[in-house]
Amino acid sequence: MKTVPLAVVIVTYHSAGVVEECLKSVAVALESIPDSRVVVVDNASGDDTVEVVRRVAPWAEVVVRGSNDGFAAGVNAGFAAAPDCDVLVLNPDVRLEPDAVVLLRAALAMPGTGIVAPRLFSADGGQQLSLRRAPGVLRAWGEAVVGGERAGRVEALGEVVTDRRRYETAGVADWVTGAAWLISRECREATGVLEERYFLYSEETEYMLRAGDRGFAVRYEPRARAVHLGGEQSTSAWLWAMAATNRVRMVRERRGRLAAFAMWWAVLVNEVLRVPRGAKHRRAVRDLVRWRKWPVAGGGAGWICFSAQDWWYHNRAHSDFQLMRSVAGSRRVLVVNSIGMRMPTRGNSTHVARRILRKLKSVAKFVRKPLPNFYVMSPLPLPFYGSPFMRRVNAVLVRAQVRVVAFFLRLGTPVIMVTIPTAWDVVAPMRRRSLVFNRSDRHSDFPEADREAIQGLEQQLLRGADHVVYVSHVLMDDERELTGERAHFLDHGVDVDHFTARPEYEWPDDIRSVDGPRVGFFGALDDFLVDFDLLERLAAELPDVSLVLIGDATHPMERFDKYPNVHWLGFRPYDTIPAYGSAFDVAIMPWLDNDWIRHSNPIKLKEYLALGLPVVSTDFAELDAYRDRVRGVTGHAEFVEAVRRTLTEGGLKPANALRQSVLTYSWHSRAAELLDLAER
């Protein structure tokens, strides 16, 4: 029997009428499994589902998501809540037999097995046909021409296994319906998360086929039994059509456009032949005919994002990059690297030569495609924003470059998102579906900026944008007179799957060699953000504590040479940051007290919490929502004392509770909200 802990993940949406019996059956099935827990992920139900769960199962962990982004997003949130577990995914309308989980776990222990599914029955005791063969064009045509029941009797012609005798014996399937399936931790680690673009249907198909590609078998165990009420797809035209279109999408993803075209015709013929049977088939035909691009274009507009960062040398955790990566799951995206706010000059900027050189290297790349459906361009700018004439020249130059690239990428009339205010001159005359100002910071507070010029550009954007999205309530309230109803609080997300605590053997050697306890910071060590005097005081007053600083610095770091307990490791790639952060005993945010910080909302905070780290921070407005889990202080002496206290007493909440508190803030959910706002 496996010794890995078990988590049961139940995804709910308007499930108040069915989830109670599910939870009761789970409680009985887990009685003989001590190292187990239940995670209920609610996808923003409008009924009293959450209240029912908390009343019936006070022992269950409840993750309440802010929006309904689909079944896959809910499962992924459950995965994130149970990173070290085997996971049994259940629909809320499933009722387990008392020995079902024990039998499933025994089957999961068989060599090569990654996923196990039980035998499913309807409420009336009838056998549910849950076993499936891999989707294919021939099988789709077989089902269209001779019907699913008859085609399923022949392996080459049908996807659904319809031979009732097959359900009497254990064996291996290509995939199974996703009402109930147990996934091993090893399989999850190798396969990753579910693809959230499908919303409903085909997400479990794609995941199980992907697991098979990685050498994990999908096993069927008929001795483990469960009742599945089901039936919603057959009565909802919208759900039926979604299932039909997603079949084509998945083939497009796995086998390419030619196979998807053949699959599209097969599914379309299937639905056309059955149009007389009801509205659900008519809806499927309509959606298949309308949806001509599979699936990355998503039928929506292209997106152009004028970023405040440069993809090639800045931290890719910044909000504009994170949002656009998620948007690229369903739209074609062009990210325009930062066009700057002024030319770096001696006396006003640090590392002038290095900064100019790295920008020139970025411009030399011009257009690249680092991710699927995600393009990055570095236009050649003339960053002289103090001169109105040079601003106009620069705008014409950059706009011409962007228009040419957008034309060849076939972005059509795009949604334009602007994070850096100097892009206003560029985008103002551009044709667009809508203009979104991503107001993540007040850039006129940036010390190196030409304050008057940047402030004027910000105000024009605030007045000219169709939507202004904020991560700071204070900044949004300050600018309400300019934005009115166009203001929208979006908040930052966090990559909860990426920012998962790593075991010590995965820590990088350079931090493992640093003596504990470790007080750590990761991110940009910018002199207009970070209070370096406070860092030096920490080093001086806590000589037995290692102060670990990770990130590129714009401040002279030689001042710390006299402190043997200070370890500046420099820049580290984004992929390695969670492993470094996992070694921290306390995570810190030692900010300066200035306008930039007062109007900010650092992404770093949610990343620290996702790692389960106790946090000590300089006080700022957006910290109000985190008082129950973060120690926010004012003054250097108070900061040092808060760090000392945290090292002694621990954080305000256990690590698991800290992580749990940010699980609903995925970048997928933020991007879904942004798409809905910009394209409505």
Side-chain angles (χ1 to χ4, degrees):
M1 185 64 66
K2 296 175 71 67
T3 59
V4 177
L6 172 72
V8 178
V9 171
I10 304 169
V11 180
T12 58
Y13 179 68
H14 290 178
S15 306
V18 295
V19 72
E20 180 172 349
E21 293 304 316
C22 177
L23 288 165
K24 288 178 178 177
S25 74
V26 168
V28 173
L30 295 183
E31 285 179 352
S32 60
I33 304 176
D35 195 6
S36 61
R37 56 196 176 107
V38 177
V39 180
V40 178
V41 181
D42 186 72
N43 275 346
S45 292
D47 61 3
D48 59 345
T49 296
V50 173
E51 288 73 17
V52 171
V53 172
R54 287 175 172 157
R55 172 177 56 81
V56 174
W59 33 265
E61 301 170 47
V62 182
V63 177
V64 180
R65 306 187 75 246
S67 58
N68 178 20
D69 307 311
F71 177 73
V75 173
N76 289 340
F79 281 1
D84 299 321
C85 299
D86 295 338
V87 173
L88 174 59
V89 178
L90 292 182
N91 283 7
D93 59 350
V94 168
R95 287 88 177 91
L96 298 173
E97 291 293 312
D99 61 351
V101 177
V102 172
L103 292 168
L104 288 173
R105 296 204 89 198
L108 195 65
M110 298 182 68
T113 301
I115 296 172
V116 180
R119 187 175 185 180
L120 297 179
F121 295 90
S122 303
D124 61 4
Q127 174 71 57
Q128 288 195 359
L129 304 180
S130 59
L131 300 181
R132 298 289 190 272
R133 305 180 182 104
V137 174
L138 180 59
R139 287 174 178 149
W141 277 107
E143 292 172 351
V145 175
V146 304
E149 177 72 24
R150 289 188 293 273
R153 297 171 190 167
V154 181
E155 183 172 350
L157 293 183
E159 186 175 334
V160 181
V161 177
T162 58
D163 184 353
R164 264 59 175 183
R165 293 171 297 179
R166 173 66 181 82
Y167 290 87
E168 301 291 336
T169 57
V172 174
D174 291 332
W175 67 281
V176 295
T177 55
W181 44 307
L182 175 63
I183 316 157
S184 73
R185 183 178 66 184
E186 294 81 4
C187 181
R188 287 175 53 206
E189 290 174 348
T191 310
V193 296
L194 275 71
E195 174 55 70
E196 297 183 13
R197 288 177 295 176
Y198 295 109
F199 193 81
L200 279 174
Y201 307 117
S202 289
E203 68 276 84
E204 80 270 38
T205 315
E206 190 275 338
Y207 189 87
M208 294 182 200
L209 294 176
R210 188 166 16 122
D213 294 341
R214 288 157 175 75
F216 292 92
V218 178
R219 189 167 297 278
Y220 169 68
E221 176 48 77
R223 295 179 300 161
R225 298 183 171 211
V227 172
H228 176 219
L229 302 183
E232 190 176 6
Q233 177 187 350
S234 63
T235 59
S236 168
W238 176 64
L239 294 179
W240 184 273
M242 185 179 296
T245 53
N246 278 352
R247 292 178 68 191
V248 183
R249 287 189 168 112
M250 194 192 65
V251 170
R252 166 67 174 82
E253 284 290 281
R254 289 182 60 83
R255 300 186 182 178
R257 295 179 181 178
L258 185 60
F261 182 69
M263 186 74 172
W264 181 81
W265 272 108
V267 176
L268 179 64
V269 168
N270 191 347
E271 299 300 327
V272 167
L273 292 175
R274 289 155 181 80
V275 161
R277 299 184 184 181
K280 64 183 183 183
H281 298 290
R282 291 194 295 274
R283 173 66 183 267
V285 170
R286 189 194 74 180
D287 286 1
L288 284 162
V289 170
R290 287 183 175 179
W291 287 30
R292 297 182 183 275
K293 296 181 179 179
W294 308 97
V296 293
W303 279 62
I304 300 176
C305 171
F306 287 81
S307 173
Q309 314 296 326
D310 192 296
W311 175 265
W312 303 117
Y313 53 79
H314 282 133
N315 188 332
R316 294 173 187 175
H318 286 282
S319 65
D320 30 16
F321 294 149
Q322 294 279 17
L323 287 168
M324 290 303 102
R325 281 195 287 195
S326 291
V327 168
S330 57
R331 305 290 186 269
R332 182 167 291 188
V333 169
L334 172 64
V335 170
V336 181
N337 277 330
S338 174
I339 56 177
M341 292 191 293
R342 68 170 295 150
M343 174 69 78
T345 57
R346 294 190 183 278
N348 289 317
S349 311
T350 58
H351 307 293
V352 174
R354 181 168 68 91
R355 292 167 73 172
I356 293 175
L357 179 61
R358 70 183 185 180
K359 175 55 73 174
L360 291 174
K361 288 181 178 178
S362 175
V363 170
K365 295 178 184 292
F366 194 49
V367 181
R368 301 292 173 90
K369 185 182 179 183
L371 299 169
N373 219 39
F374 183 95
Y375 298 82
V376 177
M377 75 169 292
S378 299
L380 177 64
L382 299 175
F384 302 102
Y385 297 104
S387 164
F389 173 74
M390 290 304 297
R391 273 176 42 191
R392 288 194 294 272
V393 172
N394 181 62
V396 171
L397 174 65
V398 173
R399 184 164 56 247
Q401 295 172 74
V402 172
R403 279 176 167 165
V404 168
V405 173
F407 173 79
F408 282 103
L409 294 181
R410 294 175 295 175
L411 297 183
T413 304
V415 173
I416 298 178
M417 187 174 89
V418 170
T419 299
I420 192 166
T422 47
W424 168 250
D425 290 332
V426 179
V427 305
M430 290 179 67
R431 291 180 64 248
R432 55 187 180 260
R433 178 168 177 174
S434 66
L435 174 62
V436 179
F437 185 12
N438 179 31
R439 192 67 159 137
S440 58
D441 294 294
R442 180 176 277 173
H443 286 86
S444 54
D445 291 333
F446 180 57
E448 294 184 19
D450 183 326
R451 183 179 180 88
E452 185 177 347
I454 300 303
Q455 194 171 58
L457 292 168
E458 286 177 328
Q459 297 211 357
Q460 291 180 76
L461 259 171
L462 290 169
R463 292 189 178 97
D466 298 295
H467 310 282
V468 184
V469 294
Y470 290 88
V471 297
S472 166
H473 286 96
V474 173
L475 186 54
M476 185 169 72
D477 292 341
D478 283 354
E479 297 175 344
R480 181 70 73 178
E481 186 177 337
L482 291 172
T483 58
E485 296 302 314
R486 293 174 295 113
H488 182 85
F489 186 76
L490 184 67
D491 204 358
H492 282 315
V494 60
D495 189 341
V496 291
D497 298 311
H498 185 57
F499 284 92
T500 300
R502 307 298 203 265
E504 185 171 353
Y505 64 82
E506 292 186 15
W507 297 354
D509 292 339
D510 53 355
I511 197 166
R512 194 186 301 126
S513 65
V514 174
D515 293 334
R518 305 177 188 90
V519 173
F521 173 94
F522 58 67
L525 290 158
D526 289 321
D527 50 13
F528 66 95
L529 296 177
V530 175
D531 189 339
F532 288 91
D533 291 338
L534 173 55
L535 290 177
E536 186 167 358
R537 185 160 177 177
L538 274 173
E541 296 193 22
L542 300 175
D544 296 328
V545 173
S546 294
L547 180 59
V548 181
L549 306 174
I550 300 170
D552 212 353
T554 60
H555 183 85
M557 299 300 285
E558 294 80 9
R559 68 184 295 178
F560 296 107
D561 289 348
K562 59 186 175 182
Y563 299 101
N565 61 327
V566 176
H567 304 268
W568 176 44
L569 304 184
F571 175 82
R572 291 293 182 268
Y574 177 71
D575 290 345
T576 68
I577 292 299
Y580 279 99
S582 298
F584 296 171
D585 296 288
V586 179
I588 57 172
M589 298 200 300
W591 306 127
L592 291 167
D593 182 11
N594 58 28
D595 286 340
W596 183 281
I597 293 297
R598 279 193 290 275
H599 294 111
S600 70
N601 182 6
I603 297 173
K604 188 184 331 298
L605 175 56
K606 290 186 178 70
E607 293 171 347
Y608 283 160
L609 295 174
L611 290 171
L613 297 173
V615 182
V616 176
S617 176
T618 305
D619 214 351
F620 61 99
E622 285 302 317
L623 205 61
D624 286 347
Y626 299 86
R627 301 287 180 191
D628 60 331
R629 65 209 111 140
V630 175
R631 288 190 169 100
V633 297
T634 56
H636 289 190
E638 292 80 2
F639 197 102
V640 174
E641 179 56 33
V643 170
R644 185 181 285 115
R645 181 180 176 186
T646 304
L647 287 169
T648 303
E649 301 176 5
L652 295 177
K653 288 188 175 183
N656 185 60
L658 295 176
R659 177 173 173 78
Q660 187 85 11
S661 71
V662 296
L663 290 183
T664 60
Y665 292 93
S666 74
W667 285 111
H668 288 297
S669 67
R670 302 301 92 194
E673 195 172 335
L674 180 65
L675 282 165
D676 181 64
L677 181 73
E679 297 184 0
R680 63 176 54 160

